[in-house]
Amino acid sequence: MKIELAIEKVKPHLTEARFRHTLRVAETAVHLAGVYNGSISKAELAAVFHDYAKYRPLREMEHWIKKSSLPKDLLGYHSELWHGPVGSLLVEWEHGIADTEIQDAIHFHTTGRANMSKLEKIIFLADYIEPGRKFPGVEEVREMAQQDLTKACWMASKNTISHLMKKNATIYPDSFYAYNDLTNQINGGV
Ligand code: DGI
Ligand code: FE
Ligand code: FE
């Protein structure tokens, strides 16, 4: 799909602020794909669609999780975790995007997972560091993103989990699997 068409398809599903976030994630993802020799076109398309399902009614997302092969344990965690997995299905059903690499990058953009592909890392990181993000510690992750893709993802994963634990939120297992695997990738683990 041409990127202009993808942007046109996504826009009506998002708020104005979320749409602008999406365009910044796409710019950031294209930049990272250039730095790390990833596919620019896949990075751009995955980024444009990464939050596609963000504003679907909860009962609709719940329905698709129940009816599809998505993991049912998602239903026992915060509904913020549903839009990535559900989005990875909807982009195929509604727009014919049947590229597994792109769909996986959309699926796992919120939590990460073990053994993330380069494209998954690029989208996970671009969503975290896009220029509109103001989290504490994001500037250090932005700097690392220019040097080491895996280390920057590890920092983002660690910051997100720490932040959620400080709020007494539950952590989806894939978030921990991402953190553990990225830790092993950067220093061999302890
Ligand atoms: O959709 P965005 O707002 O652009 O960002 P996102 O998809 O990365 O994250 C959505 C929210 O999900 C964000 O507030 C952080 C939260 N989140 C990420 N991992 C977990 C999580 N929330 C819980 N409860 N558990 C997690 O493992
Ligand atoms: Fe998201
Ligand atoms: Fe996002």
Side-chain angles (χ1 to χ4, degrees):
M1 183 184 289
K2 280 224 166 57
I3 205 68
E4 293 77 14
L5 181 60
I7 291 169
E8 207 176 290
K9 296 290 184 194
V10 164
K11 193 169 197 288
H13 292 273
L14 303 178
T15 62
E16 188 58 35
R18 179 66 44 183
F19 179 65
R20 283 189 265 109
H21 158 75
T22 290
L23 296 180
R24 292 191 299 267
V25 174
E27 272 180 36
T28 307
V30 165
H31 172 78
L32 291 173
V35 173
Y36 295 106
N37 197 25
S39 164
I40 305 259
S41 59
K42 288 193 189 205
E44 193 169 33
L45 196 57
V48 165
F49 277 106
H50 85 283
D51 277 340
Y52 179 65
K54 185 98 175 169
Y55 300 105
R56 292 294 165 119
L58 292 185
R59 65 183 179 282
E60 182 192 339
M61 290 197 280
E62 187 181 348
H63 175 79
W64 293 131
I65 292 166
K66 286 179 176 159
K67 291 285 170 187
S68 69
S69 60
L70 290 176
K72 305 305 162 237
D73 68 349
L74 283 166
L75 297 168
Y77 289 85
H78 200 285
S79 55
E80 267 298 314
L81 298 173
W82 300 351
H83 70 282
V86 170
S88 74
L89 301 178
L90 296 185
V91 296
E92 179 168 358
W93 297 345
E94 298 179 0
H95 302 291
I97 296 169
D99 180 312
T100 314
E101 288 177 9
I102 291 174
Q103 289 175 281
D104 284 344
I106 296 169
H107 185 146
F108 298 103
H109 83 265
T110 302
T111 58
R113 62 167 166 170
N115 295 310
M116 291 167 81
S117 69
K118 191 190 288 182
L119 186 65
E120 289 172 42
K121 287 178 179 171
I122 286 171
I123 300 302
F124 177 80
L125 185 59
D127 192 25
Y128 190 85
I129 64 167
E130 63 90 349
R133 296 296 205 191
K134 309 277 187 249
F135 315 126
V138 72
E139 202 46 54
E140 288 81 350
V141 185
R142 283 193 185 107
E143 280 164 28
M144 185 54 72
Q146 308 305 318
Q147 319 293 323
D148 185 327
L149 178 64
T150 301
K151 185 134 193 227
C153 286
W154 173 79
M155 291 167 75
S157 161
K158 184 174 160 162
N159 288 356
T160 299
I161 292 173
S162 305
H163 167 76
L164 290 165
M165 288 183 73
K166 276 183 204 124
K167 293 200 311 176
N168 296 332
T170 57
I171 311 294
Y172 190 66
D174 277 334
S175 299
F176 282 132
Y177 293 141
Y179 170 77
N180 289 336
D181 179 58
L182 292 164
T183 303
N184 283 330
Q185 286 188 44
I186 61 173
N187 70 4
V190 286

